[in-house]
Amino acid sequence: MAIGLTRVERPACPSPVTTGPADAPDGPCRACAVRRDAVCATLAPQDLNRLFAMVSRVSLEVDRVLFYEGDPAGDVYNVTDGIVRLSKLLADGRRQVTGFLPPGSIFGFGSTAVHCYTADALTPLKLCRFSRVQLDDFLQDFPDFGRRVLAKASGELRAAQDQILLLGRKSAQEKVATFLRDWLREASALDVAGRALELPMTRTDIADYLGLSTATVSRVFTGLVRLGVLELPSAHEVVVRRPDLLDDLTEATN
Amino acid sequence: MAIGLTRVERPACPSPVTTGPADAPDGPCRACAVRRDAVCATLAPQDLNRLFAMVSRVSLEVDRVLFYEGDPAGDVYNVTDGIVRLSKLLADGRRQVTGFLPPGSIFGFGSTAVHCYTADALTPLKLCRFSRVQLDDFLQDFPDFGRRVLAKASGELRAAQDQILLLGRKSAQEKVATFLRDWLREASALDVAGRALELPMTRTDIADYLGLSTATVSRVFTGLVRLGVLELPSAHEVVVRRPDLLDDLTEATN
DNA sequence: CGTATACTTGAATTGAGTCAATAAGTGTGG
DNA sequence: CCACACTTATTGACTCAATTCAAGTATACG
């Protein structure tokens, strides 16, 4: 089996736009889109204010890089808007996307001196940034906060193990079907179901996420259309006509 | 590409042997093999005693199952001796080994109602078992304990992401070389280097860990012997003659 | 010491990749 | 508003790495 080659160059200007706490919605955090999901969800209002006073808000345009694999690490991020793309590279340019993080996710915790993946903006992003030291203080003072961070971390671990199963043992069709099913689930938790679903990532992103080539991803997509499972109004929109069939295809029963 | 098929049946008797705290070494935990690595490492002696009073010690023979994927979850485990094998199955029997956990690892934390992998004994095992409720109490009372649990969890996450890169983008030879290098590193942290290294797992385990077939694993092994990188005194012993070459093979430079 | 299990190796097959050509969007500026 | 350039997606023809199938050989164990 040959290996996907997606060479990624460093863009000229990776610097994100940073602003202080001031520009956040009036009652800070009150109007936050991930108020219910994020690690800070169970903090009392006054504690939330204390946390908010420590964070800086970060905005990032599409494809801008937050940090590169190998950069010195020290900050923790909480996604409030948009989707973060995490990826790793091999020396010869082969890329593996390790995750697409929706709002409510945190990343960058972990105690390595350098980041072990690149984080960039799949869609326009808004993040809360705080330092590991600040995280540590909060873990100290608010056990429930720590519990929620641990819960997020173990959720990520669970997802990673599912991805390991997918990458190690599933066929191309099963991989794509699983990806679409999961994306559908995630979206319908927020969006309205039934309508066309937006796929913000490119075929290359999907291929690098599933350990395939773009050609194969494309072929499987058209195959699913032929089967009547999907419609593709455009390259970045999917209508799942038969969620039941899609589900069957995520895992052959033999 | 076809998919590895390793059908796994439920053995008749999966029940582990459990004993109370009583049978532990005299000053409990004092003589524990993972005293320095485990989550409990930084607890003060009296806190350690409190923790020890809560845990039950579990012993497991080779290939005995601790719990199955899908079993109701509720306990957390700390490996003190031996190696735990974690694996997941697809409906048709394809297996993916998601990890081999050495002493000092914890697993089973995470807040799902059921376990999302099977845990069994790759080698004779000794574990500390405690409930999630007890873990929670400890997180509440000892922030430093919580920090160490989080550090373990993020270490596992990092390892999982490395495995995702390996499964998604590496060739068979790169996969096997990476596996051997990592195993060597891990062992030399404990064992004496230079001598024959024990590989307790079968070729099937390795194949299911690397997303390959046993035939391919076997062929790559003999290939590495031909290259002068390895010697294989027996199927479960490796001597790494050229660690430098092995390292080069973990990732093609193009 | 025989029987089951695990490992190796060869031959043939195949799923997914590479390479390459077209098609379809997406902008940008005249 | 259209023409040009550029990127992204689809599709076909061919290739190849890893699989399956099938012996044959070691190894372990009761």
Side-chain angles (χ1 to χ4, degrees):
Chain A
M1 186 215 295
I3 300 300
L5 274 172
T6 308
R7 275 155 224 283
V8 178
E9 309 298 336
R10 285 207 172 206
C13 166
S15 56
V17 175
T18 305
T19 57
D23 88 321
D26 53 310
C29 305
R30 184 67 56 89
C32 179
V34 294
R35 192 70 193 76
R36 308 183 69 84
D37 299 323
V39 281
C40 39
T42 56
L43 288 175
Q46 67 272 22
D47 301 330
L48 199 58
N49 286 341
R50 181 183 145 197
L51 178 61
F52 186 75
M54 307 191 318
V55 307
S56 47
R57 297 275 304 161
V58 180
S59 292
L60 223 58
E61 286 163 42
V62 169
D63 286 341
R64 288 278 101 115
V65 173
L66 191 61
F67 55 75
Y68 285 97
E69 185 180 359
D71 285 353
D75 290 335
V76 182
Y77 298 88
N78 186 14
V79 186
T80 58
D81 266 298
I83 294 167
V84 176
R85 172 178 46 217
L86 304 184
S87 59
K88 293 168 77 78
L89 287 179
L90 291 173
D92 62 357
R94 282 171 288 176
R95 186 179 73 146
Q96 178 67 41
V97 171
T98 58
F100 299 110
L101 306 188
S105 313
I106 59 165
F107 61 102
F109 61 93
S111 27
T112 54
V114 295
H115 288 294
C116 47
Y117 46 76
T118 296
D120 59 3
L122 177 66
T123 69
L125 269 189
K126 289 187 179 157
L127 306 158
C128 288
R129 166 159 65 191
F130 44 99
S131 71
R132 284 186 189 168
V133 176
Q134 290 169 328
L135 176 70
D136 243 36
D137 289 349
F138 248 73
L139 294 180
Q140 185 81 37
D141 297 352
F142 303 101
D144 197 55
F145 185 79
R147 234 175 267 134
R148 285 186 71 87
V149 173
L150 182 60
K152 287 280 181 194
S154 53
E156 291 294 316
L157 184 56
R158 202 191 86 80
Q161 286 166 340
D162 287 343
Q163 196 66 1
I164 283 173
L165 174 63
L166 176 144
L167 292 167
R169 290 305 183 203
K170 287 192 177 184
S171 70
Q173 193 181 55
E174 289 171 322
K175 285 174 174 180
V176 173
T178 305
F179 167 71
L180 287 173
R181 183 204 52 187
D182 292 350
W183 190 257
L184 183 66
R185 269 189 200 163
E186 171 113 11
S188 59
L190 308 167
D191 265 65
V192 189
R195 278 195 300 114
L197 191 62
E198 205 205 338
L199 277 187
M201 64 290 285
T202 64
R203 296 287 186 268
T204 302
D205 286 331
I206 298 173
D208 288 348
Y209 181 59
L210 300 177
L212 299 170
S213 67
T214 61
T216 298
V217 171
S218 202
R219 277 187 255 268
V220 173
F221 267 88
T222 49
L224 293 176
V225 170
R226 290 222 179 83
L227 287 173
V229 178
L230 302 181
E231 273 170 57
L232 289 172
S234 80
H236 294 278
E237 287 179 301
V238 217
V239 181
V240 180
R241 280 264 163 259
R242 302 284 309 273
D244 55 324
L245 279 183
L246 187 64
D247 229 79
D248 293 344
L249 294 174
T250 59
E251 186 175 339
T253 319
N254 225 5
Chain B
M1 187 214 293
I3 301 298
L5 275 170
T6 308
R7 275 156 224 281
V8 177
E9 308 298 337
R10 288 210 168 204
C13 165
S15 54
V17 175
T18 305
T19 56
D23 86 324
D26 52 310
C29 305
R30 183 67 57 88
C32 180
V34 294
R35 193 70 193 75
R36 309 182 68 84
D37 300 321
V39 281
C40 39
T42 57
L43 288 174
Q46 69 273 20
D47 300 330
L48 199 58
N49 285 341
R50 181 183 144 197
L51 179 61
F52 186 76
M54 306 190 320
V55 307
S56 47
R57 298 276 301 162
V58 179
S59 291
L60 222 59
E61 285 163 43
V62 170
D63 286 338
R64 288 278 103 116
V65 174
L66 190 60
F67 54 76
Y68 285 97
E69 187 180 358
D71 284 354
D75 290 334
V76 182
Y77 298 88
N78 185 14
V79 186
T80 58
D81 266 297
I83 294 167
V84 176
R85 174 177 45 217
L86 303 184
S87 60
K88 291 167 80 76
L89 287 180
L90 290 173
D92 62 356
R94 284 171 288 177
R95 186 180 72 148
Q96 178 67 39
V97 172
T98 57
F100 298 110
L101 306 188
S105 313
I106 59 165
F107 61 102
F109 60 94
S111 27
T112 54
V114 295
H115 288 295
C116 47
Y117 45 75
T118 296
D120 60 2
L122 177 66
T123 68
L125 270 188
K126 288 187 179 154
L127 307 159
C128 288
R129 166 159 63 192
F130 43 99
S131 72
R132 284 187 187 167
V133 176
Q134 291 170 328
L135 176 70
D136 243 35
D137 290 348
F138 248 73
L139 296 179
Q140 184 83 36
D141 297 352
F142 303 102
D144 197 57
F145 184 80
R147 233 176 266 133
R148 286 186 70 88
V149 173
L150 182 60
K152 287 281 180 193
S154 54
E156 291 295 315
L157 184 56
R158 202 191 86 79
Q161 286 166 339
D162 288 343
Q163 195 67 0
I164 283 172
L165 174 62
L166 176 145
L167 291 167
R169 288 308 184 202
K170 288 192 175 184
S171 70
Q173 194 182 54
E174 290 173 321
K175 285 174 172 181
V176 173
T178 305
F179 168 71
L180 287 172
R181 184 204 51 187
D182 292 348
W183 190 256
L184 184 66
R185 269 189 198 160
E186 169 114 10
S188 60
L190 308 166
D191 264 65
V192 189
R195 277 195 301 112
L197 191 62
E198 206 204 339
L199 277 188
M201 65 289 285
T202 64
R203 295 288 185 267
T204 301
D205 286 330
I206 298 173
D208 288 348
Y209 181 59
L210 299 177
L212 299 170
S213 67
T214 61
T216 298
V217 172
S218 201
R219 277 187 254 270
V220 173
F221 266 87
T222 50
L224 293 175
V225 170
R226 289 220 180 83
L227 286 172
V229 177
L230 301 181
E231 275 170 54
L232 289 171
S234 80
H236 294 277
E237 286 179 302
V238 215
V239 181
V240 180
R241 280 264 162 259
R242 301 285 309 274
D244 55 324
L245 279 183
L246 186 64
D247 230 79
D248 293 344
L249 294 174
T250 59
E251 185 175 339
T253 318
N254 223 6

